């Protein structure tokens, strides 16, 4: 068993036991059945509905009335009016859809020496067992090189392989007339919330054999007397972009499917592995090992909280990296709430893009983990959102620039949805722009800054326009807004100036101004943004010593004292506004807030808490929280994060938190082992990303660094800090320097 393998002693029964493969566009969940194999299929552009713009003409005429009610303390009335008049139409967005299932029936009643697994290094799911004295092997890949799903099915006895392959879909449509060696299904996406389903789709499965017979009929594809077979699967939709659906799904499916031939498996697999490793390679993590590392993955999850399996934490990081490479590659859609994988036509939370934490959390990992290329789909999405969000900003707020509230979908809808208590939050786009700026900072690339600056400027223009004076002060606040997704003691969520909004605005305005000056643009606009910064409410400390979530000291009187969101701690992570070194009093207040809120939460909530405790330099506590995440209640047998149900953000956030315990990249400063837990006294990482195009290799023993190597893609000057040591370092572009 390789260290980066997941493996099991029995087939998957539940979907959350199956193993995921993906190439960013196509995904499959592999069950590894004996009598019957199930491959559940997804294609990243297959969603319900079609292009739409959910503008509500009643919103703008009632905006000032809602603001006035909030400032008057009449929050419940404000929320009721907002629900009647300010929400998007439709009030729901579209859902991500499954495209179909391939079933392969082998007729085997039982198996011996069964084993299935997933190699993260090869991105291949393998099932192997003996039945009737024959060893059968299945290996499946979602090739990014050939853009198809491929599976080799083989027996070790010539002529012993026989199976029937069928194709089903939960969608409206019909089976195509079969071809010589293929079957297919074509259909149309579902309607939703009054929006017509307009996406056409097609999915095909083709079988090529070595020896034996391959027969296609109404009951599927039958193979008899073969030794080896190649199963190739492709799916596509008519999606072109959020406002165009005139693509040809059939041509797209055939493009990668019909030029295959039997006997090419070794070449196809090698091309796939090389392209996968081009992104996945270059990063290493070793936190130690033990006998527990030899156990099946589900047994390791069950025992992690007992200690002694540091290698599972390292595997969790690599699994997060694998999921990122598999669900977000240049040219594909970004990873949604479930990444790329979804089996339900009514998935939890529609498997959309939730922008009040979850979408952002999905992209905390790439720059840290040597996967900066995987960030590209998020930039492309924000570029789309700046177009649709400009219409929403003007229609709902009479404001320039662009807005995104707390959710979006394939069609880049930006309006406030679900209800005012969740959706009337106008800073989702602003947060995404700050995250894009972080990405540019990690890359150290002015070309990326040049690309994202118009997006940042548009988000800043909107926010500048909608900030309103807080009565009786010179301060500017958002109104209406919410502190996601919490309810305050007045029985409502709607409010003015929640801490998170001011923190995001502070980051957006300061970074947009700095970027404008770096690029030599918009001097007057930059100066205007900087002048607004002192008028944003500062973080406040409440009577219990906690960092306040709202302008009012409501934190201890909320209905959910242990709420999953910790929105007001954005300033600690992912931002650097609050830091134990520079703002110790506020860092102590943030710690108090975490203590009050509690460690246990939903899966993604735990993932966020790991990062927060790491930023507060408490590695032992961060590891305790990690033990909550790597537990059967929060990690399914296939290591998918359990909200519950499945949400992939916990995987990405948890993996980022583990790296954050070892290396933190602060603007102008690199912190080594800032929150190392006692459970990892010895270890090493290589290929960790840091700001300014820097890559870090680090070895440690007895909790202190024993080897430090920096690789600089760009010229950079920074301080490197570990323990009590502070080391100023200047590197030339392309230089590698060993510091220790």
């Amino acid at each position: 068993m390789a260290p980066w393998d997941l493996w099991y002693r029995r087939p998957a029964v539940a979907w959350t036991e199956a193993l995921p493969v993906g190439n960013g566009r196509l995904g499959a969940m592999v069950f590894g059945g004996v009598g019957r194999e199930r491959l559940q299929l997804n294609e990243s552009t297959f969603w319900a509905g079609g292009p739409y713009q959910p503008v509500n003409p009643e919103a703008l005429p009632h905006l000032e009335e809602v603001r006035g009610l909030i400032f008057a303390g009449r929050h419940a009335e404000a929320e009721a009016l907002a629900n009647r008049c300010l929400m998007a139409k439709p009030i729901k967005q579209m859902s991500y859809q499954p495209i179909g299932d391939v079933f392969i029936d082998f007729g085997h009643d039982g198996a011996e020496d069964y084993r299935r697994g997933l190699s993260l290094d090869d991105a291949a799911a393998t099932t192997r067992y003996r039945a009737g004295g024959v060893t059968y092997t299945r290996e499946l890949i979602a090739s990014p090189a050939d853009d198809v799903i491929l599976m080799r099915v083989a027996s070790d006895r010539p002529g012993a392989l026989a199976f029937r392959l069928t194709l089903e879909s939960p969608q409206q449509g019909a089976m195509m007339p079969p071809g010589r060696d293929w079957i297919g299904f074509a259909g149309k996406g579902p309607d939703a919330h009054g929006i017509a389903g307009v996406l056409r789709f097609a999915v095909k499965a083709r079988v090529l054999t070595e020896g034996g017979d391959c027969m296609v009929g109404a009951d599927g594809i039958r193979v008899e007397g073969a030794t080896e077979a190649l199963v190739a699967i492709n799916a596509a939709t008519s999606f072109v972009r959020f406002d165009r659906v005139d693509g040809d799904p059939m041509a797209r499916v055939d493009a990668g499917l019909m030029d295959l031939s039997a006997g090419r498996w070794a070449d196809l697999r090698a091309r796939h592995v090389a392209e996968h490793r081009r992104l996945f390679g270059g990063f290493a993590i070793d936190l130690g090992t033990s006998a527990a590392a030899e156990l099946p993955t589900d047994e390791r999850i069950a025992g992690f909280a007992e200690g002694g399996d540091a290698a599972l934490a390292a595997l969790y990081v690599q699994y997060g990296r694998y999921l990122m490479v598999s669900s977000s590659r240049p040219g594909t859609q970004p990873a949604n709430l479930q990444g790329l994988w979804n089996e339900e036509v009514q998935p939890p939370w529609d498997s959309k893009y939730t922008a009040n934490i979850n979408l952002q959390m999905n992209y905390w990992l790439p720059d840290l983990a040597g996967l900066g290329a995987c960030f590209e789909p998020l930039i492309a999405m924000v570029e789309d959102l700046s177009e649709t969000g400009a219409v929403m900003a003007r229609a709902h707020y009479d404001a320039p620039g662009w807005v995104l509230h707390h959710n979006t979908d394939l069609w880049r809808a930006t309006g406030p949805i679900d209800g005012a208590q969740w959706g009337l939050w106008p800073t989702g786009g602003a947060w995404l722009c700050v995250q894009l700026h972080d990405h540019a900072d990690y890359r150290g690339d002015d070309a990326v800054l040049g690309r994202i600056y118009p997006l940042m400027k548009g988000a800043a223009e909107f926010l500048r326009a909608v900030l309103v004076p807080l009565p009786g002060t010179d301060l500017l606040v958002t109104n209406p807004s919410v502190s996601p997704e919490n309810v305050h003691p007045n029985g409502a969520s709607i409010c003015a100036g929640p801490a998170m909004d001011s923190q995001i605005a502070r980051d957006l305005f300061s970074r947009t101004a700095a970027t404008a000056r770096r690029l030599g643009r918009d001097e007057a606009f930059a100066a205007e943004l900087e002048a607004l910064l002192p008028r944003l409410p500062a973080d406040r400390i409440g009577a219990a010593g906690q960092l306040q979530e709202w302008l009012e000291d409501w934190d201890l009187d909320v209905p959910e004292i242990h709420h999953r969101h910790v929105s007001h701690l954005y300033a600690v992570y992912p931002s650097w506004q609050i830091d134990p070194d520079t703002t110790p009093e506020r860092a102590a207040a943030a710690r108090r807030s975490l203590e009050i809120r509690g460690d246990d939460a939903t899966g993604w909530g735990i993932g966020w808490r790991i990062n927060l405790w790491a930023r507060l330099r408490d590695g032992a506590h961060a590891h305790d929280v990690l033990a909550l995440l790597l537990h059967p209640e929060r990690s399914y047998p296939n290591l998918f994060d359990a909200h519950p149900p499945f949400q992939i953000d916990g995987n990405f956030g948890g993996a980022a938190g583990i790296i954050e315990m070892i290396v933190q990249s602060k603007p102008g400063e690199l912190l080594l082992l800032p929150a190392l837990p006692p459970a990892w006294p010895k270890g090493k990482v290589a290929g960790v990303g840091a700001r300014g195009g820097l890559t870090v290799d680090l070895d440690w023993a007895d909790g202190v660094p024993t080897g430090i190597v920096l690789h600089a893609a760009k010229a950079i000057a920074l301080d490197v800090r570990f323990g009590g040591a502070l080391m100023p370092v200047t590197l030339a572009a392309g230089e590698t320097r060993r510091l220790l």
Side-chain angles (χ1 to χ4, degrees), residues 574-659:
S575 183
W576 279 95
Q577 293 177 37
I578 294 177
D579 175 67
D581 299 324
T582 56
T583 58
E585 184 181 8
R586 289 177 185 171
R591 183 184 182 98
R592 181 67 187 127
S593 288
L594 271 179
E595 292 168 347
I596 292 169
R597 194 59 56 92
D599 292 334
D600 201 5
T602 58
W604 64 261
I606 293 172
W608 195 352
R609 283 159 172 79
I610 294 169
N611 286 276
L612 288 164
W613 283 110
R615 281 284 174 89
L616 293 173
R617 314 286 198 271
D618 193 334
H621 202 135
H623 191 271
D624 289 344
V625 180
L626 176 63
L628 296 175
L629 185 64
L630 285 174
H631 184 279
E633 292 183 0
R634 290 292 178 263
S635 288
Y636 290 111
N638 65 0
L639 265 183
F640 271 174
D641 168 66
H643 180 284
F646 166 52
Q647 282 189 196
I648 205 167
D649 37 33
N651 287 102
F652 294 137
I658 292 168
I659 298 175

Side-chain angles (χ1 to χ4, degrees), residues 520-545:
R521 305 182 191 177
D522 301 320
E523 172 62 33
F525 182 62
E528 184 179 350
L529 294 181
E530 289 170 337
L532 292 175
L533 290 171
R535 300 185 65 190
L536 298 173
D539 291 312
R540 301 179 177 187
I541 298 176

Side-chain angles (χ1 to χ4, degrees), residues 53-55 59 63 86-88 93 353-357 359-360 385 388-389 391-397 402-409 412-420 422-432 462 466 479-482 484 501 504:
Q53 177 57 271
V55 165
L63 177 61
L86 265 58
M87 305 309 294
Q93 290 178 353
Y353 301 98
T354 302
N356 64 15
I357 175 60
L359 175 57
Q360 289 85 348
L385 291 169
T388 57
V391 177
M392 183 60 59
R394 185 60 68 186
H396 277 222
Y397 295 92
W402 67 277
V403 63
L404 169 67
H405 293 83
H406 93 299
N407 256 290
T408 190
D409 55 19
R412 305 312 190 236
T414 63
I417 65 162
D418 295 337
W422 300 288
L424 202 58
W425 181 69
T427 49
W431 187 354
L432 285 174
F462 168 79
V466 300
N479 182 10
S481 189
V482 298
D501 283 9
I504 290 173

